[in-house]
Amino acid sequence: MSDKLISWAGTFFLLFIFFFPLDFLGDFQREITVFLFGDLTEWVANIVFGLENVRIDFSSDSISMLVFIGILLVLSLGITTLVSPKYIQKVLSFSKEAIVVYLAVVLMKYGFDKVFKAQFYLPEPNILYSRFGNLDRDILFWSTMGVSRSYSVWTGGIELLAALLILIYRTRVLGLLIAVGIFINIVAINIGFDISVKLFSLILLLMTVFALKDDWIPIFHFLVLKKETKLNETRDVQGMLRPLGVFIKTAFLGSSLVLILFPYISSGNYNDDISERPSIHGGFKNTDENSDLQYIFFHRNHYLILMDKKEQMRDFHYASGPRGLFLLKDDDGKEIHMNISYEKKDSLIILNWGSGEIRAKELNWKKMNALRPLFHTVIEKVE
C-alpha cells in the first residue's frame, strides 16, 4: 500500500513539475498547460463549483489550480495503476531527480529575490500612513518584512545556501533538511497571514519530504536512536540515462539561472530599496484642513491614491503626458484629465482638474520610525 502511495505521489509531482506554470520561466509552460488542460479545467470548475467563465491562469490558491491539482491526481493515479511496476520505479527515480532540481531552482528564485530586496520591498507611503489596525494581515506581514533589508538578505541567503547544498550530491540530504525547515516556515506564514500561495508552498514542502523518502529512516536512527548509520548513496538515475539526465539537469539549471538573474543584471538594480522611482513619488498632505481629503500618494507603479480622514482610499492608474498633464483611470475605466505641478522649493504639489484644485505639502515619509535604520547592541541604549 505504501509503495502504491509513493508511486502515486512521485508521478503526481512529476506531472506537477511539467505542467504547473512557473511565471519566472516565461509563458511557454502556461501556454502548454492551458492548451492541454484549459478546457477540461473550465468544464470541471463549472460542474463542481458551478462557475462559468472561471479564470484559467493556474495561479496558486485559485479555483483553476484546485481543479488542475485534482486532474493531475486522477491522471497520476491512472498512470500508476496501468504502468508495470518495473517502469514505475524508473518513473519514480526520474521524479526524485526532477524534484531535487525543481526545488533548487525555486529556492534560487526566491533567494535572489530576497537578497536583491525584490520580494519584500520597501513599503509604499500609502501603507506607511495607514494605521496598523486597518491593514490586512498579508499586507501587514509583507510591509514588516520590507522594512528590514538585513533580514531579507539573511533569509534569502539561507534559501540560496539550501539550493547550493541540494545541487551537490554529497550535501543533498543536508540541503533538503534545511529546505524542509524553510518550507514549513513558509507554509505556516502563508496560512497564518492569509498569503495566497498556500497550496503551492504546501506542495513544495511535500516534494521536499518526498525527495528525502530514502533517507528518513537513517536520519531517524542517527538523530533519535543515536545509532551509527549510513545514508543511501545509490544514484537514482543510472546507466545510459545518466548522461542524458545530467545534460537535461544542467540545461534546465543554466537557463533558469539566466532567467532569474537577467532582470537584475539588465537593470543594474541589486537593491530595490534604492532603485529609481517615478519623478513624482511619495506622500503629500492636503493643506485644506476643512477638506475630507487628507493625503495624496503617488505609488511607484503609477497609481495616484487619495486617502480621506476615515482612511478610505481611492486609487487611479495614471499615465503622465507633456507639461504636467496626467490621464487618470479608475477601476471602472472612467478617465480624468488632470494637470499636476510640483514646486520643489516649497515641496508643494498642485492638482487641477476642471474647476477643482488641491494643494498638498510633501511628507518626509523616509524619516518615519519604521524606516529608521536602528540597531541596539544593549537594551540600555534603547530610547
Side-chain angles (χ1 to χ4, degrees):
M1 183 65 181
S2 61
D3 290 343
K4 285 287 184 184
L5 281 175
I6 290 173
S7 300
W8 185 16
T11 308
F12 167 75
F13 290 139
L14 194 56
L15 293 175
F16 184 84
I17 289 170
F18 280 143
F19 296 116
F20 181 73
L22 289 178
D23 291 339
F24 61 88
L25 297 183
D27 292 332
F28 76 99
Q29 199 177 18
R30 186 185 306 281
E31 290 174 0
I32 292 172
T33 303
V34 170
F35 175 74
L36 292 175
F37 298 99
D39 290 341
L40 179 59
T41 302
E42 190 170 4
W43 181 77
V44 174
N46 179 260
I47 296 297
V48 176
F49 296 97
L51 298 174
E52 294 184 2
N53 301 319
V54 64
R55 185 183 65 186
I56 306 296
D57 63 357
F58 304 110
S59 56
S60 185
D61 299 355
S62 65
I63 293 290
S64 60
M65 183 183 182
L66 284 173
V67 174
F68 179 60
I69 294 295
I71 292 171
L72 292 188
L73 284 171
V74 172
L75 190 58
S76 53
L77 180 62
I79 291 172
T80 51
T81 304
L82 295 175
V83 177
S84 169
K86 67 177 182 181
Y87 293 114
I88 282 293
Q89 285 307 314
K90 290 182 179 178
V91 172
L92 277 179
S93 297
F94 184 71
S95 175
K96 183 178 172 182
E97 285 296 310
I99 286 171
V100 165
V101 176
Y102 185 83
L103 291 172
V105 167
V106 172
L107 286 166
M108 281 195 300
K109 163 61 180 171
Y110 290 107
F112 280 120
D113 280 355
K114 289 183 179 70
V115 168
F116 298 144
K117 200 61 171 48
Q119 184 178 11
F120 300 127
Y121 39 81
L122 199 69
E124 283 292 306
N126 61 298
I127 298 297
L128 291 166
Y129 279 88
S130 297
R131 278 181 293 187
F132 181 94
N134 283 345
L135 293 173
D136 293 334
R137 281 186 294 176
D138 59 340
I139 296 176
L140 196 58
F141 174 81
W142 224 257
S143 303
T144 303
M145 295 296 106
V147 300
S148 173
R149 186 179 183 222
S150 61
Y151 184 74
S152 188
V153 171
W154 174 263
T155 52
I158 292 175
E159 291 179 357
L160 291 177
L161 174 64
L164 178 63
L165 294 175
I166 286 173
L167 291 175
I168 300 172
Y169 188 76
R170 294 183 66 85
T171 59
R172 175 173 294 179
V173 172
L174 176 60
L176 289 170
L177 286 173
I178 294 173
V180 168
I182 290 170
F183 289 130
I184 286 175
N185 183 48
I186 291 173
V187 169
I189 288 171
N190 290 341
I191 293 174
F193 290 88
D194 191 27
I195 296 172
S196 298
V197 279
K198 304 175 191 70
L199 191 50
F200 180 60
S201 58
L202 180 61
I203 290 175
L204 291 176
L205 173 60
L206 295 176
M207 276 186 178
T208 316
V209 173
F210 179 86
L212 284 165
K213 65 183 177 64
D214 300 320
D215 303 298
W216 281 118
I217 292 177
I219 291 170
F220 178 77
H221 285 173
F222 179 73
L223 293 178
V224 179
L225 302 181
K226 310 298 182 188
K227 291 182 178 178
E228 286 191 17
T229 188
K230 190 176 181 181
L231 295 174
N232 177 27
E233 293 184 351
T234 303
R235 290 183 182 271
D236 293 295
V237 179
Q238 297 179 333
M240 294 180 63
L241 287 176
R242 190 173 172 194
L244 178 62
V246 171
F247 172 77
I248 294 173
K249 184 166 66 174
T250 305
F252 180 65
L253 280 170
S255 57
S256 299
L257 194 58
V258 168
L259 290 170
I260 291 169
L261 291 178
F262 179 75
Y264 299 107
I265 296 172
S266 62
S267 66
N269 176 20
Y270 300 104
N271 178 6
D272 190 67
D273 284 359
I274 57 175
S275 67
E276 186 176 356
R277 266 47 173 183
S279 57
I280 298 181
H281 174 258
F284 299 83
K285 184 173 176 48
N286 190 1
T287 57
D288 183 1
E289 296 183 353
N290 296 320
S291 171
D292 189 49
L293 176 66
Q294 189 174 26
Y295 293 117
I296 301 163
F297 301 104
F298 287 85
H299 193 281
R300 63 184 297 185
N301 292 333
H302 296 91
Y303 282 94
L304 171 66
I305 302 169
L306 307 177
M307 180 193 287
D308 64 23
K309 290 181 177 176
K310 294 181 180 178
E311 297 194 10
Q312 299 296 313
M313 294 193 203
R314 289 186 64 197
D315 60 85
F316 304 84
H317 191 265
Y318 72 80
S320 57
R323 297 187 293 275
L325 179 65
F326 281 62
L327 176 62
L328 277 58
K329 188 178 290 186
D330 65 13
D331 293 338
D332 298 325
K334 183 181 178 182
E335 295 183 351
I336 300 172
H337 291 270
M338 180 178 285
N339 279 296
I340 299 178
S341 62
Y342 174 63
E343 298 175 13
K344 189 174 182 179
K345 62 179 182 180
D346 52 8
S347 303
L348 186 69
I349 195 166
I350 303 172
L351 284 63
N352 278 292
W353 71 101
S355 58
E357 179 178 292
I358 299 173
R359 290 173 173 264
K361 196 77 172 177
E362 187 170 13
L363 301 164
N364 195 356
W365 60 276
K366 292 184 178 179
K367 295 293 184 182
M368 297 183 78
N369 285 343
L371 302 186
R372 291 168 65 194
L374 298 178
F375 178 79
H376 302 94
T377 52
V378 292
I379 60 172
E380 285 79 2
K381 291 186 177 179
V382 178
E383 295 178 358

